[in-house]
C-alpha cells in the first residue's frame, strides 16, 4: 500500500490530494518540464505500475512516430526507448475517439495490431492508456504499464488516470504556448536584426548582400536569391544569390510568360508566397529544371512589396529535409521579403537621385568643352570626341558625320581601346546593314545589351559585347552619330542613353554654331578686304587734289 508524504495510506485520499496539488501547481506557475517529470513519476507511484510514460507524436509528417516527452519506471524496470516507430493511423480506435484503452493481457489481445507488437516488444503485460487532446486534436497519450505481471485495471484506476491526464493536457498546452512565445520572440529578434542591418545598408548591392547573408548565416538556408521585375514588366532580373555552381547563376534575365509560367510568374500573379516541399511534385518547366540543377529538394518563393506594389521575389531553397520551410518560417520570410522590398525601393530612389546629379554633372562638364567660338571644325570635332570619351565613352567611342549628298556616314575619329594613329577613315553607306546606319536612318537611339544576339549587328571592334548608338539631330535632320562600345554586356543603361542624347543635342548645336562663326568670319574677312580696297581706291582717286593742296 502506498503512503504519501503526510503518512496517509487511503488510496482515494492520496489520489485526490495529488490532483489538488497538481492543479494548484499549474495555477501558481512552475518550470514545466520539471513539473511534467515530477507529475508522471507521482502518477506512476500512486497507480503502483511498472512504467508510466507521456507519449507525444513527433514533429515530422503527421503522426510519424511516438516520442516519450517524459517517462518513469519503477526500480529494476527498463525505461522506454527514445522513440517508438508507430504512426498515429494505427493507434487504437478508442484513443482516436478520445476513449481510454484498457488491456489486461497484451499477449492475449491480437486485435491491437501494430501497437500491440510495439507493446509486446517493450515487454508489456498490461496497459492502460488515456488520450491527450489539445484543442480537439489527438496529440498523444499517457500509458500506464506493467511488465512483471498482468493487471486487471479497476474503474478507479481509469478515472484517476483520466483526471490526471486532463491536468497534464493543460500543462502541455501551457508548455506549447510558452514555447511558441519563445519561438516568436526568437523570430522577431532575428527579423529585427536583419531588418536593422538591411536599413543600415547604403546601396542596392549592400541591401541584397546583407539580406543574403541573413538568409545564409542566420536562417540557415543553403540557397537564396533576389530578383526584381524589369522596367518593362516582362521579366525578372537577378540581383544576386548564393548556393549556385557559377557566380553568374543568379544574375540572368528570366522571362515572365503565361505560356511557360515560372514560380516567379505564379507568385507575382497571385501576390502570395509559394511553398513547395518536394521539387519533384512540381510540374515540368523551367523552374523545376533550375531547382534540380541547384540540387534543391524544397523551396519557397516570396513576393517583395513596397508601397502596395510588388517589385520582385525572394527565393530560398534547401537540399535536404534538415532545413525545410516550416509554417513558422513563412511569416518570418515574408516579413523579411517585404523589408527588403521597401529598402530596395528606398535605395533605388536614392540611387536615382544620385544618378541624376551625376548625369547633370557629366553633362555640364562635357558641355563646357563645347563653349567655344572656334571656326576650326577640326578643333571642335576633337573637343567633342574628347568630351565623349572622358565622360561617357566606356571602352571605345567614335563620331560619324552624315554626308547626305553622297549618302554615307564618314567616321571623323575614335577614342579608347578601339583606336590607333594609323586607323583609316571609315565610310559607311547610309543604307548598309548595322547598328550605326540604322540609328542614322531612323533618328532613334539604338541600345543593344548583347551584340551577339542582335541580327543587325556588324562586327567592328572584335571585343565589343554591347553597343550604344546615339544620333546627332539638328532641325529634324540627322547630322551624325555617336557610337559607344563596351567589352561588358548590358554596359549602357537607359540613363546613359538619356545623358548622351542630351550631349548629342548640344554637340549638334555646337557644330551649327561653328558653321555660323565660320560664315561670320568669312563675311568679316570679305568686308575687311572690301574696306581696305575702297580706302585704297579713294586714295588713288583723290591723290592729285591732295598734292595740289600741299604745293599751294
Amino acid at each position: 500500500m502506498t503512503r504519501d508524504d503526510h503518512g496517509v495510506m487511503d488510496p482515494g485520499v492520496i489520489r485526490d490530494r495529488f490532483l489538488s496539488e497538481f492543479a494548484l501547481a499549474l495555477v501558481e506557475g512552475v518550470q514545466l518540464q520539471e513539473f511534467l517529470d515530477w507529475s508522471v513519476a507521482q502518477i506512476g507511484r500512486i497507480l503502483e505500475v511498472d512504467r508510466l510514460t507521456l507519449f507525444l507524436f513527433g514533429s515530422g509528417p503527421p503522426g510519424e512516430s511516438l516520442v516519450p516527452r517524459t517517462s518513469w519506471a519503477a526500480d529494476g524496470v527498463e525505461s522506454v526507448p527514445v522513440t517508438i516507430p508507430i504512426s498515429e493511423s494505427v493507434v487504437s480506435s478508442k484513443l482516436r475517439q478520445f476513449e481510454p484503452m484498457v488491456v489486461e493481457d497484451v499477449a492475449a489481445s491480437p486485435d491491437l495490431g501494430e501497437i500491440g507488437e510495439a507493446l509486446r516488444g517493450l515487454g508489456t503485460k498490461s496497459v492502460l492508456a488515456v488520450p491527450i487532446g489539445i484543442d480537439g486534436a489527438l496529440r498523444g497519450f499517457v500509458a500506464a504499464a506493467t511488465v512483471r505481471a498482468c493487471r486487471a485495471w479497476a474503474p478507479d484506476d481509469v478515472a484517476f488516470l483520466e483526471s490526471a491526464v486532463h491536468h497534464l493536457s493543460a500543462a502541455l498546452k501551457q508548455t506549447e504556448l510558452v514555447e511558441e512565445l519563445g519561438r516568436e520572440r526568437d523570430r522577431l529578434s532575428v527579423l529585427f536584426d536583419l531588418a536593422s542591418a538591411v536599413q543600415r545598408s547604403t546601396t542596392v548591392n549592400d541591401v541584397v548582400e546583407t539580406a543574403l547573408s541573413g538568409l545564409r548565416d542566420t536562417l540557415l538556408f543553403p540557397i537564396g536569391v533576389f530578383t526584381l521585375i524589369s522596367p518593362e514588366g516582362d521579366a525578372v532580373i537577378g540581383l544576386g544569390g548564393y548556393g549556385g555552381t557559377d557566380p553568374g547563376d543568379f544574375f540572368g534575365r528570366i522571362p515572365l510568360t503565361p505560356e511557360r509560367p515560372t514560380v516567379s510568374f505564379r507568385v507575382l500573379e497571385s501576390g502570395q508566397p509559394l511553398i513547395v516541399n518536394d521539387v519533384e511534385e512540381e510540374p515540368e518547366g523551367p523552374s523545376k529544371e533550375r531547382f534540380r540543377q541547384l540540387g534543391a529538394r524544397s523551396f519557397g518563393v516570396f513576393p517583395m512589396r513596397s508601397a502596395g506594389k510588388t517589385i520582385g521575389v525572394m527565393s530560398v531553397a534547401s537540399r535536404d529535409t534538415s532545413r525545410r520551410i516550416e509554417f513558422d518560417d513563412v511569416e518570418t520570410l515574408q516579413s523579411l521579403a517585404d523589408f527588403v522590398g521597401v529598402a530596395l525601393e528606398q535605395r533605388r530612389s536614392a540611387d536615382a537621385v544620385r544618378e541624376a546629379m551625376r548625369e547633370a554633372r557629366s553633362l555640364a562638364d562635357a558641355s563646357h568643352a563645347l563653349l567655344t567660338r572656334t571656326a576650326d571644325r577640326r578643333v571642335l570635332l576633337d573637343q567633342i570626341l574628347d568630351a565623349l570619351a572622358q565622360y561617357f565613352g566606356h571602352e571605345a567611342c567614335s563620331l560619324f558625320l552624315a554626308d547626305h549628298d553622297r549618302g554615307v556616314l564618314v567616321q571623323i575619329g575614335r577614342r579608347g581601346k578601339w583606336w590607333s594613329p594609323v586607323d583609316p577613315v571609315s565610310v559607311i553607306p547610309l543604307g548598309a546593314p548595322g547598328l550605326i546606319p540604322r540609328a542614322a536612318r531612323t533618328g532613334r537611339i539604338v541600345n543593344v545589351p548583347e551584340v551577339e544576339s542582335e541580327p543587325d549587328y556588324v562586327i567592328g571592334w572584335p571585343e565589343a559585347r554591347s553597343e550604344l548608338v546615339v544620333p546627332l539631330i539638328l532641325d529634324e535632320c540627322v547630322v551624325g552619330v555617336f557610337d559607344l562600345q563596351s567589352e561588358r554586356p548590358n554596359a549602357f543603361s537607359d540613363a546613359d542613353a538619356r545623358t548622351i542624347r542630351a550631349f548629342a543635342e548640344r554637340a549638334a548645336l555646337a557644330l551649327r554654331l561653328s558653321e555660323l562663326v565660320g560664315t561670320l568670319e568669312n563675311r568679316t574677312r570679305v568686308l575687311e578686304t572690301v574696306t581696305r580696297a575702297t580706302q585704297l581706291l579713294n586714295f588713288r582717286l583723290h591723290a592729285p587734289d591732295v598734292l595740289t593742296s600741299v604745293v599751294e
Side-chain angles (χ1 to χ4, degrees):
M1 178 71 66
T2 302
R3 183 190 301 268
D4 73 356
D5 295 337
H6 304 281
V8 176
M9 298 182 61
D10 186 302
V13 174
I14 292 174
R15 294 177 179 186
D16 290 342
R17 177 172 290 169
F18 167 75
L19 293 175
S20 299
E21 292 174 351
F22 197 150
L24 183 61
L26 282 176
V27 173
E28 292 177 347
V30 292
Q31 206 289 326
L32 289 170
Q33 186 58 49
E34 292 180 4
F35 176 70
L36 291 175
D37 294 340
W38 169 82
S39 59
V40 165
Q42 288 295 99
I43 295 170
R45 293 189 185 98
I46 291 171
L47 281 175
E48 297 181 331
V49 294
D50 295 326
R51 273 197 303 249
L52 194 128
T53 306
L54 166 59
F55 289 104
L56 296 179
F57 288 106
S59 58
E64 189 176 73
S65 61
L66 285 173
V67 178
R69 177 63 186 262
T70 184
S71 182
W72 170 86
D75 293 340
V77 177
E78 186 177 352
S79 59
V80 297
V82 175
T83 60
I84 298 176
I86 186 172
S87 64
E88 181 179 340
S89 59
V90 299
V91 169
S92 167
S93 60
K94 286 185 172 294
L95 293 178
R96 282 189 271 114
Q97 295 170 8
F98 292 96
E99 297 178 5
M101 182 180 74
V102 183
V103 181
E104 182 177 343
D105 188 351
V106 171
S109 302
D111 58 329
L112 291 176
E114 186 178 334
I115 194 170
E117 294 179 10
L119 290 171
R120 286 188 285 272
L122 295 171
T124 306
K125 302 291 185 181
S126 303
V127 65
L128 168 61
V130 174
I132 294 175
I134 299 177
D135 296 331
L138 179 65
R139 299 297 302 279
F141 55 89
V142 174
T146 61
V147 298
R148 289 177 282 205
C150 292
R151 174 170 172 172
W153 303 100
D156 287 347
D157 296 332
V158 178
F160 169 68
L161 189 56
E162 286 181 319
S163 298
V165 167
H166 177 76
H167 292 309
L168 280 172
S169 296
L172 284 171
K173 185 171 182 178
Q174 186 172 335
T175 301
E176 290 184 353
L177 288 174
V178 170
E179 290 175 346
E180 175 59 27
L181 287 174
R183 288 193 296 270
E184 184 65 20
R185 181 193 61 224
D186 293 341
R187 286 197 298 271
L188 289 175
S189 176
V190 168
L191 189 58
F192 177 79
D193 291 343
L194 287 176
S196 298
V198 165
Q199 288 297 324
R200 288 194 299 271
S201 303
T202 56
T203 66
V204 168
N205 287 338
D206 287 343
V207 169
V208 174
E209 288 302 320
T210 301
L212 288 172
S213 176
L215 290 176
R216 179 180 57 241
D217 302 330
T218 304
L219 298 179
L220 305 179
F221 285 101
I223 301 170
V225 61
F226 287 92
T227 56
L228 279 183
I229 300 175
S230 66
E232 301 79 13
D234 61 350
V236 288
I237 301 171
L239 293 178
Y242 65 88
T245 57
D246 185 88
D249 279 346
F250 305 109
F251 290 95
R253 180 184 178 93
I254 302 174
L256 296 173
T257 59
E259 292 77 20
R260 295 195 72 198
T262 61
V263 291
S264 296
F265 178 87
R266 288 153 59 189
V267 168
L268 292 171
E269 188 175 49
S270 68
Q272 299 298 320
L274 173 66
I275 311 300
V276 175
N277 284 320
D278 187 353
V279 169
E280 295 306 319
E281 294 179 359
E282 271 289 283
E284 294 296 330
S287 294
K288 183 173 184 177
E289 179 182 343
R290 179 69 181 127
F291 282 116
R292 278 174 170 170
Q293 290 173 352
L294 294 172
R297 295 276 300 277
S298 61
F299 65 86
V301 183
F302 301 83
M304 295 193 299
R305 298 175 284 228
S306 177
K309 181 180 69 173
T310 302
I311 65 168
V313 296
M314 177 186 81
S315 305
V316 296
S318 180
R319 293 188 172 96
D320 53 46
T321 57
S322 64
R323 188 59 182 102
R324 298 170 60 180
I325 301 174
E326 304 294 344
F327 176 79
D328 293 342
D329 292 325
V330 174
E331 185 176 356
T332 301
L333 290 168
Q334 184 57 67
S335 297
L336 176 61
D338 289 337
F339 272 124
V340 173
V342 171
L344 285 174
E345 279 296 275
Q346 291 174 345
R347 301 309 177 274
R348 286 206 297 182
S349 298
D351 288 349
V353 171
R354 283 194 294 269
E355 181 65 19
M357 294 176 64
R358 185 192 66 78
E359 290 174 24
R361 281 197 304 270
S362 297
L363 184 57
D365 293 341
S367 300
H368 183 73
L370 307 180
L371 299 178
T372 177
R373 292 190 176 184
T374 179
D376 189 331
R377 191 175 179 83
R378 182 70 256 180
V379 171
L380 178 59
L381 290 171
D382 284 340
Q383 290 174 339
I384 291 173
L385 260 175
D386 290 340
L388 180 67
Q390 181 177 353
Y391 298 106
F392 316 110
H394 289 257
E395 287 88 344
C397 63
S398 58
L399 168 62
F400 289 80
L401 292 183
D403 185 340
H404 291 285
D405 293 335
R406 297 166 55 198
V408 297
L409 291 166
V410 180
Q411 182 176 271
I412 301 303
R414 299 173 180 171
R415 296 290 187 272
K417 294 182 178 180
W418 183 23
W419 179 85
S420 74
V422 296
D423 272 346
V425 174
S426 296
V427 177
I428 304 175
L430 281 168
L435 307 181
I436 296 173
R438 186 206 299 178
R441 288 195 304 270
T442 63
R444 296 178 181 175
I445 293 172
V446 177
N447 189 356
V448 177
E450 294 274 1
V451 294
E452 293 179 353
S453 61
E454 174 57 49
D456 204 24
Y457 175 69
V458 175
I459 296 177
W461 179 37
E463 282 73 29
R465 293 295 175 269
S466 57
E467 186 168 358
L468 173 65
V469 188
V470 179
L472 282 70
I473 301 175
L474 190 63
D475 296 334
E476 299 183 358
C477 178
V478 175
V479 298
V481 293
F482 288 146
D483 178 48
L484 299 95
Q485 302 186 37
S486 175
E487 295 174 318
R488 296 176 293 110
N490 299 290
F492 302 100
S493 65
D494 292 339
D496 293 329
R498 285 195 308 270
T499 309
I500 297 171
R501 180 177 61 187
F503 178 66
E505 293 172 355
R506 288 159 173 77
L509 288 171
L511 288 171
R512 169 60 61 85
L513 179 60
S514 176
E515 290 177 2
L516 293 175
V517 170
T519 301
L520 180 59
E521 288 182 352
N522 287 334
R523 288 178 180 177
T524 301
R525 284 194 295 270
V526 170
L527 288 173
E528 289 175 348
T529 301
V530 170
T531 300
R532 286 195 299 271
T534 302
Q535 290 172 344
L536 180 60
L537 179 60
N538 286 335
F539 177 77
R540 289 178 177 176
L541 289 173
H542 298 294
D545 295 337
V546 172
L547 291 173
T548 301
S549 298
V550 171
V551 170
E552 291 177 352

